[in-house]
Amino acid sequence: MGSEYTNSEMMTVTAARALENGTTCFVGIGLPSEAANLARLTHAPDVVLIYESGTLQTKPDILPLSIGDGELSDSALTTVAVPEMFRYWLQGGKVDVGFLGTAQIDRFANLNTTLIGDYREPKVRLPGGGGAPEIATSAGEVFITLKHSKRAFVKDVDFITTVGFGRDGKARDGVPNIGRGPSRVITDLCVMKPDAETRELVVVSLHPGVTREDVVEATGWEIRFAEQLETTPVPDENELSILRELKARTERAHSGQQE
């Protein structure tokens, strides 16, 4: 009998498994941080996690609230200035994977964290790009993780904060970027990868219990499925136990409770 898990846990475990041991990963706050630290605590103990604030090879005991969380610097091998982090480490080609979240994503993996609606009169203002545009440009490849809904998965994002493959899927063609751009998108329903020719996102794996119809209903464009559609492996007991304890530890710390 398999382990009981939530859709969110399925997403985090699947995202964590995408990180290989020894990888240098530039981590975004939120779901990417949760996945990256789960990888570090399970199959990838030698993964090198770096955050935008300049912390190198950080090993937080709890999940950070922001890039300025003291837990990141307290547990880091060292810290460097933010300009050094971007110019030397990121733009210098020393980052294997950029791990990002987003508010909106479109069929060509462009990300929007700037606003919803018209630029001049937005309905909602979002936090902004931070380091994501540079990460997506210079990291060797980019993983994106977010929850699946029509509000998040739109045919065309309202504003391109972070370029995936542009409005037509050709923005990276002939451009000497260090990185190859988004290579996978992990949601609570499925895993997507860009088509080799068009760069449009294609579902390559469905999570157990998820149907094609579930994905279609949660996507704002006519989503395509790979010919050889796989089923995502379920989380194991060890992964679930470590993830749940990490989140419980984080909740206790942020609520001021003592261990």
Side-chain angles (χ1 to χ4, degrees), residues 170-232:
K170 299 178 181 179
R172 292 178 181 269
D173 293 356
V175 179
N177 291 328
I178 293 171
R180 61 189 178 98
S183 59
R184 70 186 70 194
V185 178
I186 303 111
T187 82
D188 50 348
L189 298 181
C190 65
V191 178
M192 300 176 172
K193 292 184 178 180
D195 180 86
E197 297 296 327
T198 68
R199 302 302 182 190
E200 185 171 332
L201 291 174
V202 176
V203 177
V204 297
S205 179
L206 291 176
H207 299 338
V210 176
T211 66
R212 291 177 183 236
E213 289 71 26
D214 292 333
V215 176
V216 169
E217 290 177 4
T219 307
W221 69 88
E222 191 173 336
I223 188 69
R224 294 166 50 207
F225 296 83
E227 289 186 13
Q228 298 296 324
L229 191 60
E230 299 180 355
T231 299
T232 314

Side-chain angles (χ1 to χ4, degrees), residues 16-231:
R17 287 173 174 173
L19 273 182
E20 297 180 3
N21 197 31
T23 298
T24 298
C25 179
F26 204 127
V27 190
I29 293 297
L31 292 174
S33 183
E34 186 175 305
N37 279 286
L38 177 61
R40 178 179 62 83
L41 294 169
T42 51
H43 68 279
D46 297 321
V47 67
V48 176
L49 303 185
I50 63 178
Y51 286 76
E52 191 176 333
S53 51
T55 54
L56 294 173
Q57 200 167 334
T58 187
K59 299 180 178 180
D61 188 53
I62 59 174
L63 297 172
L65 289 171
S66 70
I67 60 169
D69 197 315
E71 178 69 18
L72 292 176
S73 57
D74 288 347
S75 61
L77 176 65
T78 189
T79 58
V80 299
V82 172
E84 178 181 330
M85 172 64 74
F86 280 88
R87 184 65 189 95
Y88 177 78
W89 291 93
L90 182 59
Q91 295 174 346
K94 296 172 176 62
V95 174
D96 300 313
V97 176
F99 217 143
L100 301 175
T102 188
Q104 269 189 342
I105 184 171
D106 66 21
R107 58 197 164 130
F108 292 119
N110 300 301
L111 309 183
N112 175 20
T113 54
T114 299
L115 56 86
I116 302 298
D118 182 82
Y119 184 80
R120 294 167 184 78
E121 296 183 6
K123 298 176 183 177
V124 178
R125 287 196 179 275
L126 300 170
E134 285 290 345
I135 294 169
T137 298
S138 298
E141 61 182 317
V142 178
F143 299 164
I144 301 158
T145 186
L146 73 162
K147 292 187 176 182
H148 213 130
S149 71
K150 274 191 174 177
R151 186 169 64 175
F153 283 76
V154 297
K155 184 176 181 181
D156 297 296
V157 291
D158 293 339
F159 183 92
I160 297 181
T161 310
T162 303
V163 175
F165 297 101
R167 294 290 190 189
D168 59 0
K170 299 178 181 179
R172 292 178 181 269
D173 293 356
V175 179
N177 291 328
I178 293 171
R180 61 189 178 98
S183 59
R184 70 186 70 194
V185 178
I186 303 111
T187 82
D188 50 348
L189 298 181
C190 65
V191 178
M192 300 176 172
K193 292 184 178 180
D195 180 86
E197 297 296 327
T198 68
R199 302 302 182 190
E200 185 171 332
L201 291 174
V202 176
V203 177
V204 297
S205 179
L206 291 176
H207 299 338
V210 176
T211 66
R212 291 177 183 236
E213 289 71 26
D214 292 333
V215 176
V216 169
E217 290 177 4
T219 307
W221 69 88
E222 191 173 336
I223 188 69
R224 294 166 50 207
F225 296 83
E227 289 186 13
Q228 298 296 324
L229 191 60
E230 299 180 355
T231 299

